Amino acid sequence: MGASSDPNQDGSDEQQRRSEIYTYEAPWHIYAMNWSVRKDKKYRLAIASLLEQFPNRLEIVQLDDSNGEIRSDPNLSFEHPYPPTKAIFIPDKECQKPDLLATSSDFLRVWRIADDNSRVEMKSLLNNNRNNEYCGPLTSFDWNEAEPKRIGTSSIDTTCTIWDIERETVDTQLIAHDKEVYDIAWGGVGVFASVSADGSVRVFDLRDKEHSTIIYESSEPDTPLVRLGWNKQDPRYMATIIMDSAKVVVLDIRFPTLPVVELQRHQASVNAIAWAPHSSCHICTAGDDSQALIWDLSSMGQPVEGGLDPILAYTAGAEIEQLQWSSSQPDWVAIAFSTKLQILRV
């Protein structure tokens, strides 16, 4: 928007700044994707391929602020067995720890990025069934921000496993659900939640491993819940996605079984959710309607006639399969659709 068309000069600069969108085209379909957390590595992300073959690829890319180009570093591109279901950089904003990246597929793997960015090496392969040829693939995992030596994984074998990645040992493995577990999210040092093909959201406290609390069960029987997001700014709230459904269910763990609000403005299945890392009442959702929507849930308790509308909408070039909100640069959201990674200033 040219400054001439707007007597309010500030407004047009604001407009310019707000329309910042950067695109990277990968040589393959992108599935797993996430932001780096370290404050010395701005605009850095990991993206991974979704190829129907054993060898897949993972690339670490970074936006060059000076020319607006997202570039891949050939030294930081490597082969990965099977497509990773998720990738997460170590939650270490202050750069106190080695530069690590974890991925889940057949096993949980932790990779170390060399300090001089010359290479990526596998630091550990974490396998809990050593005496069994077969391993239940990992559907997802989450890295504990409050205690970064802990990673929790979810598996199709109905279990969740809590790893101590420094000792490379299992802290706990528990049968979490009656069917496949599709996602897991930490809500504090020793508390996590998971969602499953059995249609339930369950919360676990590691101090009492025998019990779990069912926070929600999908209304139709045998309707899997596939994604879970726990609000880091206000841990009373979490959100979940029902398989092949266009709605997002927001829950208040103090009032189990009843959703606080259902977000129903997507026109096709929702694939991803991300709570704002810096605000307790904003959430972003994205799906097969190629839309990424940002919602303000501050009026969550009060009924809104006709349902809640999003405050921002962005239409991508294809179905959005992945969405991440940067915790160290909360003005930025990343989405992945087809072979493209886009980062958007919100």
Side-chain angles (χ1 to χ4, degrees):
M1 190 170 127
S4 57
S5 64
D6 188 351
N8 177 348
Q9 180 66 44
D10 289 350
S12 78
D13 284 355
E14 174 74 4
Q15 196 73 31
Q16 200 83 44
R17 189 181 69 79
R18 276 193 170 286
S19 61
E20 277 184 77
I21 298 168
Y22 300 102
T23 305
Y24 175 75
E25 178 116 25
W28 21 254
H29 191 104
I30 300 170
Y31 184 65
M33 173 272 283
N34 222 326
W35 289 94
S36 173
V37 179
R38 294 169 64 103
K39 63 181 184 190
D40 65 344
K41 298 272 196 273
K42 285 191 162 171
Y43 304 112
R44 182 179 71 159
L45 299 102
I47 54 171
S49 63
L50 177 59
L51 299 169
E52 287 186 21
Q53 59 190 46
F54 178 71
N56 273 259
R57 297 292 300 176
L58 195 142
E59 286 186 354
I60 292 174
V61 301
Q62 195 159 8
L63 171 70
D64 179 340
D65 228 1
S66 62
N67 63 8
E69 245 176 77
I70 300 177
R71 282 205 208 95
S72 166
D73 182 338
N75 293 331
L76 304 183
S77 167
F78 57 97
E79 197 166 280
H80 190 287
Y82 301 107
T85 49
K86 196 163 187 185
I88 305 180
F89 284 92
I90 184 168
D92 172 34
K93 216 173 262 188
E94 300 307 320
C95 318
Q96 305 292 311
K97 297 183 177 341
D99 195 4
L100 303 179
L101 171 72
T103 57
S104 53
S105 57
D106 49 347
F107 303 112
L108 177 67
R109 289 176 177 83
V110 181
W111 310 84
R112 179 167 185 167
I113 301 153
D115 294 338
D116 60 359
N117 273 350
S118 59
R119 64 193 181 284
V120 179
E121 290 175 332
M122 188 165 72
K123 179 181 171 289
S124 34
L125 184 151
L126 303 169
N127 169 17
N128 197 24
N129 10 358
R130 301 205 181 275
N131 44 9
N132 191 344
E133 281 296 287
Y134 168 78
C135 61
L138 301 176
T139 50
S140 186
F141 71 100
D142 197 17
W143 206 319
N144 193 316
E145 289 180 17
E147 194 167 12
K149 65 174 188 183
R150 270 188 184 164
I151 286 181
T153 63
S154 56
S155 169
I156 65 165
D157 67 9
T158 76
T159 65
C160 288
T161 305
I162 309 303
W163 288 91
D164 178 329
I165 61 160
E166 286 172 9
R167 302 207 326 267
E168 301 189 0
T169 54
V170 172
D171 268 354
T172 304
Q173 182 172 41
L174 29 92
I175 293 173
H177 290 266
D178 306 329
K179 291 184 178 173
E180 299 94 325
V181 189
Y182 286 136
D183 204 2
I184 181 171
W186 289 103
V189 175
V191 180
F192 70 90
S194 56
V195 291
S196 159
D198 65 16
S200 67
V201 179
R202 299 186 187 194
V203 174
F204 298 83
D205 189 324
L206 293 175
R207 291 167 303 190
D208 178 12
K209 297 175 187 131
E210 298 306 304
H211 301 99
S212 67
T213 309
I214 294 181
I215 298 295
Y216 174 75
E217 285 183 291
S218 42
S219 41
E220 298 88 47
D222 294 327
T223 315
L225 301 177
V226 287
R227 287 285 165 261
L228 179 68
W230 202 326
N231 186 336
K232 296 275 195 289
Q233 293 295 321
D234 188 345
R236 294 173 301 180
Y237 296 106
M238 48 176 80
T240 184
I241 302 174
I242 299 158
M243 187 181 272
D244 300 328
S245 162
K247 73 178 179 185
V248 175
V249 178
V250 180
L251 308 165
D252 181 335
I253 63 175
R254 297 165 302 173
F255 307 105
T257 71
L258 212 61
V260 201
V261 65
E262 293 186 341
L263 308 178
Q264 309 202 51
R265 290 295 182 266
H266 280 282
Q267 307 300 312
S269 302
V270 179
N271 296 324
I273 44 180
W275 287 95
H278 60 313
S279 152
S280 60
C281 59
H282 290 90
I283 190 171
C284 187
T285 59
D288 280 349
D289 57 1
S290 308
Q291 295 242 75
L293 306 177
I294 291 182
W295 310 76
D296 177 354
L297 304 182
S298 48
S299 63
M300 208 149 36
Q302 302 99 46
V304 180
E305 202 171 318
L308 205 59
D309 283 319
I311 55 167
L312 268 177
Y314 174 74
T315 305
E319 292 94 338
I320 302 173
E321 290 179 59
Q322 197 61 260
L323 152 76
Q324 300 289 345
W325 201 321
S326 170
S327 60
S328 52
Q329 295 171 273
D331 290 351
W332 293 88
V333 166
I335 56 173
F337 54 94
S338 180
T339 57
K340 290 190 173 70
L341 162 72
Q342 278 191 337
I343 66 172
L344 323 168
R345 190 196 270 273
V346 295

